[in-house]
Amino acid sequence: MNSSVRIAQDSIIPTIMCGGSGTRLWPLSRKSFPKQFVPLIQGKSLLQLTFERVSGLGSLQMVVASEEHRFLVQECAEAAGVDATLLLEPVARNTAAAMTAAALNAPLKALLLFLPADHHIPDSQAFAATIHQGIPAARNGCIVTFGVQPTFPSTAFGYIQQGEALSDLGAARQVRRFVEKPDDMLARELLLEGGYLWNAGIFLVQAEVLLSALRIHAPDILSACQQAVARQTTDGAFRRLDVQAFAACRSESIDYAVMEKAANAAVIPFTGAWSDVGSWNAVAELSQADAQGNRVRGEGHILDARNTYIHAPYRPVVALGTQDLLIVDTPDALLVADVAHAEQVKSVVAQLEAEGVPQAQHHRRVVRPWGAYDCVDAGPRFQVKRIVVKPGGSLSLQIHHHRAEHWIVVSGTAEVTNGEFVSLLTENQSTYIPVGQAHRLANPGKVPLEIIEVQSGSYLGEDDIVRLQDTYGRAN
């Protein structure tokens, strides 16, 4: 147990697992910006909604996330008004390792509620009530999982078969077996037979119970995580697992590593609305359909079309005479797919990656801890960026060996360090940063700072940054 976690031994700790490769909702979601960070629901991200949904279940929240996404997680936590501890994975090692590391960072008697960051559950009260139904069984030494009442024969989810009710443990039932994602025929058979739930990947368990199960069923994973936690470092809200020890851990899901083998697994059904937002078809269903089954978000326009979904936040997109199509527009990539092929989008991403297409993994707009930048235009020896710095935000003090920069303030106030001189620039004012000059951009104001940056030089890559000082602890 990590003694720095100062909570009551009998508290619930919502622990959000924030992994993901960003492939299933491409091009909106990408590896550098997975779907849990995309503002999909009324301007809020799925992670922010998850923070809000579990805020009443425990006073402290933990998040297990990758080092790459730490500032995105922190930004979502701030937007939700949550004080969360971020446990950072140096490499992805699936849910068994993530849950083990979290359990080793919690009091042994604490109940850990493990849940994905990218699910949409609109009824938070119904969700909380279902979680509370699992507390008696979890207190009694069960690993409680929560299954969703299926509404159609899905081939995208695993299934849990419910067994007998557990005596004196409320709504909890034995887990008879787990079924991997079935084909269409088997999915229909499971629904006709009854007693099966979709596997939502949500667990409620005492830390010591989970660790005991790992000691029996996956001792190698437990050992590797114990070493990673023993050598982890703390940096403010960030806890960084040891790179070497965690990288040596076997990558496996908690279902394979523990749940399919454990005799103390229990399940509780959740009957409310739930979506893992795992495909563009699932995203489309979050919008109201018209009489012809069309759904539109943003600047989409439909003419003589049926069952067509358009996601067009940036510019007009017109669907004329289409049927059964998904159309997803972003500033630098466009997806047009038949609804029957929605589950194959990740295969497209794999092909783009193999061909070296940068849009497979990265957006034109890049989020940073101080704000964001958008690459507006680029060509040989020049690049134009729109930079937005949050109030109080500050870029690193840095130099570039191969490029000069021109900054033009569009709105807000810029504090500019240019060599030995520090000055304030306001709207319509500009400055020039020569090659090799130490410089910094900061926003001392209370409103966002927006500037246009024009780079020119022989090399314009992001790796031509030598950070001399950095507020956020980033290395070169």
Side-chain angles (χ1 to χ4, degrees), residues 64 111 127 135 149 216 250 308 327 355 410 446 460:
V64 186
L111 287 178
F127 174 77
I135 291 178
Q149 193 68 46
I216 296 170
R250 172 163 55 96
T308 293
I327 303 172
E355 295 173 359
V410 176
K446 296 183 179 180
L460 305 173

Side-chain angles (χ1 to χ4, degrees), residues 15 85 167 264 271 288:
T15 303
T85 296
S167 179
N264 59 336
T271 56
Q288 186 67 36

Side-chain angles (χ1 to χ4, degrees), residues 155-474:
T155 61
F157 309 129
Y159 287 73
I160 302 170
Q161 185 182 24
Q162 303 176 79
E164 300 297 322
L166 294 174
S167 179
D168 300 322
L169 294 180
R173 305 178 73 89
Q174 293 177 342
V175 172
R176 183 164 293 170
R177 66 169 178 146
F178 290 88
V179 179
E180 291 304 307
K181 295 178 182 178
D183 59 24
D184 184 67
M185 182 177 294
L186 178 56
R188 293 177 185 278
E189 292 175 359
L190 297 179
L191 258 66
L192 286 173
E193 182 179 341
Y196 285 87
L197 304 169
W198 287 336
N199 187 350
I202 302 173
F203 306 90
L204 183 68
V205 60
Q206 282 186 318
E208 64 178 352
V209 171
L210 178 60
L211 296 175
S212 294
L214 287 156
R215 193 170 292 113
I216 296 170
H217 303 297
D220 60 320
I221 292 177
L222 176 61
S223 177
C225 288
Q226 285 174 327
Q227 295 178 52
V229 170
R231 300 201 293 262
Q232 75 184 22
T233 58
T234 301
D235 174 19
F238 301 136
R239 297 183 183 179
R240 291 182 168 87
L241 295 166
D242 179 75
V243 175
Q244 185 175 359
F246 198 73
C249 184
R250 172 163 55 96
S251 179
E252 192 166 49
S253 73
I254 194 67
D255 290 335
Y256 282 134
V258 172
M259 297 302 294
E260 294 185 357
K261 306 169 186 175
N264 59 336
V267 63
I268 290 178
F270 176 66
T271 56
W274 170 87
S275 172
D276 75 337
V277 200
S279 70
W280 277 112
N281 284 336
V283 174
E285 290 172 2
L286 299 177
S287 303
Q288 186 67 36
D290 66 14
Q292 287 72 45
N294 300 307
R295 295 175 166 90
V296 174
R297 293 192 65 183
E299 297 295 312
H301 301 270
I302 297 286
L303 294 172
D304 297 326
R306 298 180 61 84
N307 194 27
T308 293
Y309 172 72
I310 301 178
H311 178 94
Y314 302 103
R315 56 187 169 181
V317 173
V318 179
L320 173 60
T322 59
Q323 183 171 339
D324 299 330
L325 281 188
L326 300 163
I327 303 172
V328 183
D329 187 39
T330 71
D332 61 349
L334 171 67
L335 171 71
V336 180
D338 188 291
V339 296
H341 293 267
E343 297 289 344
Q344 296 171 243
V345 171
K346 59 184 178 181
S347 300
V348 174
V349 177
Q351 180 176 330
L352 293 175
E353 288 178 345
E355 295 173 359
V357 178
Q359 288 86 348
Q361 296 188 351
H362 303 289
H363 276 287
R364 199 181 80 173
R365 182 178 182 272
V366 178
V367 176
R368 289 288 186 255
W370 43 260
Y373 68 82
D374 183 5
C375 294
V376 178
D377 195 10
R381 299 184 64 87
F382 84 91
Q383 187 165 233
V384 181
K385 292 182 178 180
R386 175 178 173 265
I387 296 176
V388 178
V389 185
K390 296 184 292 188
S394 173
L395 283 69
S396 60
L397 181 66
Q398 59 187 250
I399 62 172
H400 307 299
H401 292 300
H402 303 286
R403 70 176 186 248
E405 296 176 345
H406 297 256
W407 295 344
I408 305 167
V409 178
V410 176
S411 62
T413 301
E415 181 183 272
V416 176
T417 300
N418 192 348
E420 298 178 357
F421 300 98
V422 178
S423 59
L424 293 178
L425 300 181
T426 56
E427 186 174 328
N428 295 326
Q429 294 182 320
S430 63
T431 189
Y432 167 67
I433 310 294
V435 175
Q437 180 89 292
H439 61 279
R440 186 200 298 268
L441 176 66
N443 180 1
K446 296 183 179 180
V447 298
L449 163 67
E450 181 178 341
I451 75 163
I452 298 299
E453 176 183 84
V454 180
Q455 303 175 358
S456 59
S458 60
Y459 179 73
L460 305 173
E462 282 299 299
D463 53 350
D464 182 27
I465 296 177
V466 178
R467 291 191 174 96
L468 307 177
Q469 296 175 11
D470 185 60
T471 305
Y472 309 100
R474 295 170 298 169

